[in-house]
Structures are given as C-alpha cells and as structure tokens.
Amino acid sequence: MKAGKKESSLRQGLMMFLLGGVLMLNSCAQQAKEEQTRPNLIKIDGSSTVFPITKAISEEFQKTSKDATEVSVGVSGTTAGFSKFCAGETDINNASRPILEKEMAACRNNNVAYIELPVAFDALTVVVNPQNTWANNMTIEELKKMWEPMAEGKIMKWNQIRSNWPDKPLNLYGAGEESGTFDYFTEAIVGKADASRKDYTASEDDNILVDKISKDPNAVGYFGLAYYEASANQLKAVGVDSGKGAVIPNRKTVESNEYQPLSRPLFIYVNLKSAQNNLKVKEFVNFYLQKAPLSVPAVGYIALPEEGYRLAFVHFQRGKVGTVFEGKAQLNLTLNELLRKQEKF
C-alpha cells in the first residue's frame, strides 16, 4: 500500500474511533439525563449500615406500587454517598453519621437542600471469630491501642494488647475510609475522626467483612449490629468496657444507655427538590417512616420510640431542611437526647 493510502486509512480509522467515543459519551450522558428525569425512578446511595433497612423497605414499596416504581439502592458508603447526594445525583442518602460541615458546604454550593430524618439506632459491634476463646471483652483503651495510627506495623500480635492473650497474629478488619462507620469508630475509639492505622483489611461492604472474619481465627473487626445479628452463628460479639464493665451490644443495652460510646443514630437524607417534584419520592419516604418501626428491628437494629417517627414525619411534611448536629458527629448520644434534638428542630 502506498504511503498516501496508508495515511488516509489511518486518518479514517482515527476519525471512526473518535466518532465512536463521542457517540458513547453522548449515549452515557443521555442515559444519565433520562435516569434523572424518570418519574418512576428513585435513586438512593450511601451507607452499607443503613442499607439493610432501606433495601427491605424499598422491596416492600416496589411490591405495593401500582406503576412499577423502581427504587435503586447503592452501597458506596456514607461519605461517597454524600458526594453524589450533594451533587444532585441521588434523591436520598443513607447515612450512618450526621452530615459534615464540608458536605453541608457542597450541598449549599449545588443548591441541594436536604431533610435530615433519623430512622434507627445502631450499636456498632466489635466481633471476633468464634474460634477466638480469649477475647470476650475489650476496654476502649485496648481498642485504641489496636487501631490508632501509631499502632501501624508495630501492634501485630494479640499478646501486645493484653499480656495473657496468645502470641498469635492480630488480623484487623474494618470499615473503609468512605464509610460513616469508619468516621464514627475512629472518633469514638481513637479520639479523632479518620485517625486510624492503614494496615488492615478495609471495605465499605460489611458483608465482605463478615465473610473474612468468619474465616480467620485471628480476626477482629467492627460493623453495624444488623450484620452481626444476621451472622451470629459465624461470629462472636465482644463486650466493650468504657469504664463501668463490659457490655454486649443489643436493644436493651442501647435503650438503657449502657452501650457507649458505640451507640449511634442512623439517618436518611432526602433531597427537598426531589420530594417536591417527584411524587414517588414523597410517597416512598412516607412509606419508609410508616414501615420503619417494624422493618428496623426485623433487620437487626433498634427502632426509635414512636415519637421519633412522628417527629420525622412532621419534619418531612413541613419540608424542614437542615441538620441538628452542626456538621459533626455527637458521641454518647442517647435515644432520649435524639428526641429532644428533634423536638427543638
């Protein structure tokens, strides 16, 4: 083939490649635009901790919907979920912590007004493999010794935590950095949000953590109570001692304020414009608050008192935007204190 023909052929190939790329981008953009405007699509993302509640309620909602409403529920983690939510890409964000100042700023910059709705209480649960016969309880100080940044590459054996524990590898499993659980756990245990050693197995998907811990005799990890409840035959919950004796996480110890500082509220955040402009979003949130009292304990979390859901319903109907948490997590929050915050909102 002559040089001129080769160059012409190459140019044609390059043009076809570029044209294909443009068409693909246009197709993706069109698809995204169609998803945003589809009246029967509700887009949800965020916390893997809140996911079991939202998933259960969304499945029931879709069964009762008469017009084939689709509820898409992602699990990117609270932080990644807020990134999408504050960009206007989702209608609802599942969150295992309150919205932070930087996320509030992002929402403001994108004109995304949000309604904060507490939907449950969680007992963040420390677990080990059932073959672990030595660690039945841990103090906050021992957990900090395991997880603080200075432990990285240094605290590698169980007997470094407690001298009478065995000389065995200490294999850590926990929430990924995009998770609200990671934010809350590090602040509650280490004393500063996001302060953690990096040499551990991390995931925003709690099912992955459950699976790995259940297969590792030397494992220790943490995640929401529902994931422990669903796999209690594969895991062992550890009592947490914050100074008044070891306490196992369950409904009773959360309601009595004994399980601290790892008890925390769980939320959904609703885009105000979505609720105003998409009738299906409004119907879904109303359905959510109606079903939560039964669905929350069914998946393994602690339901709010009846007054909590009534206040959430009132705030949603009135379009009450904003947060009662001033852009930060609040440790040692009790059910009664949460109600008082809602009442003042």
Side-chain angles (χ1 to χ4, degrees), residues 301-313:
Y301 291 123
I302 293 92
L304 302 180
E306 183 180 340
E307 178 69 1
Y309 294 113
R310 188 192 70 78
L311 288 168
F313 179 79

Side-chain angles (χ1 to χ4, degrees), residues 73-340:
V73 187
V75 201
S76 64
T78 297
T79 301
F82 268 127
S83 179
K84 297 175 185 179
F85 179 79
C86 291
E89 297 172 10
T90 56
D91 302 302
I92 297 170
N93 193 50
N94 293 327
S96 60
R97 58 156 173 78
I99 189 169
L100 302 179
E101 287 182 356
K102 60 184 178 182
E103 294 158 347
M104 293 165 65
C107 279
R108 281 196 302 272
N109 290 340
N110 292 314
N111 295 314
V112 175
Y114 51 85
I115 306 171
E116 178 183 78
L117 301 174
V119 295
F121 243 71
D122 179 26
L124 219 168
T125 307
V126 178
V127 299
V128 295
N129 185 282
Q131 293 183 47
N132 182 320
T133 59
W134 57 91
N136 297 312
N137 58 76
M138 297 178 194
T139 66
I140 297 297
E141 290 74 21
E142 287 170 337
L143 287 168
K144 180 180 180 181
K145 189 175 182 180
M146 283 183 187
W147 287 97
E148 62 187 347
M150 67 178 64
E152 185 169 336
K154 297 176 182 177
I155 304 299
M156 310 297 289
K157 299 287 187 71
W158 279 95
N159 62 356
Q160 290 177 277
I161 304 300
R162 198 180 291 183
S163 60
N164 63 342
W165 284 350
D167 181 15
K168 292 185 176 183
L170 177 68
N171 299 334
L172 298 163
Y173 298 84
E177 294 183 3
E178 296 297 317
S179 168
T181 297
F182 174 80
D183 297 334
Y184 190 91
F185 183 84
T186 51
E187 186 165 354
I189 298 302
V190 180
K192 181 180 179 182
D194 301 339
S196 173
R197 63 190 298 170
K198 306 294 185 183
D199 55 340
Y200 71 98
T201 300
S203 178
E204 274 75 26
D205 187 339
D206 294 325
N207 286 309
I208 291 175
L209 300 176
V210 168
D211 180 66
K212 289 185 177 296
I213 295 170
S214 70
K215 295 174 180 176
D216 183 351
N218 297 310
V220 59
Y222 64 91
F223 36 70
L225 179 63
Y227 288 89
Y228 165 70
E229 294 280 356
S231 305
N233 61 331
Q234 299 175 271
L235 304 167
K236 184 175 83 171
V238 173
V240 174
D241 185 350
S242 59
K244 298 180 180 179
V247 180
I248 293 289
N250 55 45
R251 182 182 183 88
K252 180 181 177 182
T253 57
V254 170
E255 289 181 338
S256 63
N257 306 327
E258 295 175 74
Y259 191 70
Q260 296 290 357
L262 295 180
S263 293
R264 56 177 180 164
L266 303 176
F267 307 87
I268 59 171
Y269 284 77
V270 183
N271 183 310
L272 178 64
K273 287 183 181 177
S274 293
Q276 291 175 333
N277 300 334
N278 186 339
L279 179 61
K280 288 300 167 184
V281 172
K282 186 173 183 178
E283 287 181 6
F284 175 72
V285 176
N286 285 333
F287 186 86
Y288 197 117
L289 296 174
Q290 176 190 349
K291 295 295 181 179
L294 292 178
S295 296
V296 166
V299 300
Y301 291 123
I302 293 92
L304 302 180
E306 183 180 340
E307 178 69 1
Y309 294 113
R310 188 192 70 78
L311 288 168
F313 179 79
V314 169
H315 291 161
F316 180 63
Q317 296 304 312
R318 293 177 178 174
K320 188 74 174 179
V321 299
T323 173
V324 299
F325 291 92
E326 302 174 347
K328 57 187 177 182
Q330 182 173 330
L331 302 179
N332 299 307
L333 188 73
T334 68
L335 280 164
N336 288 335
E337 287 168 344
L338 176 64
L339 286 180
R340 283 195 290 271

